[in-house]
Amino acid sequence: MQHGPAVRRRKLGAELRALRADAGLTSGEAARLLGWHQSKVSRIETGTSGVKPSDVARLLDAYAVEDPDLRDLLVVLAGSEGNGRHHWWHAYRGVLPSTYRDFISLESQASGMRTLETSVVPGLLQTPEYARAVTRAAVDGLEDGKLDALVEVRLARQDVLRSNPPLELSAVLDEAVLRREVGGPEVMARQLERLREAAALPQVRLQVLPFTAGAHIGVTGPFVIFSFPNTTDLDVVVLDHLTSSLYLERKEDLQAYSEAFNALQFHALSPEDSLDYIAGIGDGA
């Protein structure tokens, strides 16, 4: 298990190592092309040291990597602002923990997101009122100005569902998410309506795991799986804790959580039945 920056360095290094091999170069040959010591290339590829975005760009030039999406993704993983579209959250760095900034960065670059939620509505599907109530409850004694900023960030994150191409979101919601009254009856009524609206989007697959499903593999807690364009080597599982986030990047971890998510989808209601179920809860059924 790694914290965000560490896992990103390792993933970046692994991808650069694969690209070097594809280019038919040894680490020594790559180093000589750039006028570096071989140890620098090795440290970058093993993720034991950070790397400047400009150095990533030089490596990609040396490896004749022309794919603009892949280049932008790898440069962003190195900490760059890339093409500038994905770093709007820098304006909020004073109120955002580093792990949250890293999560947003991954979310903004991902092509797909699979999430199990057991307590609250996913941030990408929250209404402003629901987001405010959840944030106020989660952070004790939060000043109004910081609360406003955190809610703004939560809502701005939702732009990934409207981008071109949009993030593909698959969400399984435990029934407790729908039953837990956050912010009062009116806030919850609007939130349930918002879920039905979101479920109608072609890029969103929403399923409800009803109480009648009994104990399930997700009872251990929520998780997120990010998938990225061009390479599965950058996929990552994110586990949220009270004070930090943990990132799982080993292939066996990714396989285990992917299989768990598939099982959850199997036991959950279909998207169509889930819409009816949400509507029934909203109507007080």
Side-chain angles (χ1 to χ4, degrees), residues 8-181:
R8 290 174 69 181
R9 285 198 305 269
R10 289 184 59 182
K11 286 185 171 295
L12 174 61
E15 184 65 15
L16 290 172
R17 182 170 60 251
L19 290 171
R20 173 180 57 75
D22 289 344
L25 297 172
T26 66
S27 59
E29 290 169 339
R32 284 193 294 273
L33 279 174
L34 298 172
W36 296 349
H37 291 295
Q38 182 177 356
S39 60
K40 178 174 180 176
V41 175
S42 296
R43 289 195 304 271
I44 291 172
E45 291 184 353
T46 57
T48 55
S49 67
V51 55
K52 296 178 181 178
S54 58
D55 284 344
V56 171
R58 291 185 65 192
L59 285 168
L60 295 177
D61 288 340
Y63 303 156
V65 177
E66 299 180 355
D67 185 328
D69 291 333
L70 180 58
R71 289 182 67 98
D72 189 59
L73 174 60
L74 297 181
V75 170
V76 168
L77 284 177
S80 166
E81 297 197 3
N83 59 21
R85 294 176 299 166
H86 304 293
H87 286 251
W88 52 266
W89 59 89
H90 282 186
Y92 299 93
R93 65 170 60 241
V95 297
L96 297 180
S98 59
T99 52
Y100 191 18
R101 293 199 302 269
D102 201 66
F103 181 92
I104 298 173
S105 177
L106 292 173
E107 183 180 72
S108 71
Q109 290 291 324
S111 58
M113 175 178 175
R114 288 167 285 172
T115 181
L116 165 70
E117 289 292 348
T118 58
S119 298
V120 297
V121 171
L124 295 182
L125 303 178
Q126 291 178 6
T127 66
E129 297 79 13
Y130 187 98
R132 178 173 293 274
V134 165
T135 305
R136 188 182 293 279
V139 186
D140 188 45
L142 195 62
E143 299 175 359
D144 287 344
K146 290 186 177 180
L147 175 61
D148 291 341
L150 289 173
V151 172
E152 288 176 11
V153 169
R154 183 68 55 90
L155 300 178
R157 283 174 48 202
Q158 298 176 4
D159 284 344
V160 296
L161 295 176
R162 298 183 289 269
S163 60
N164 186 22
L167 177 76
E168 299 285 338
L169 173 63
S170 293
V172 174
L173 308 185
D174 190 274
E175 185 174 344
V177 173
L178 310 177
R179 299 287 184 183
R180 178 170 288 104
E181 191 172 284

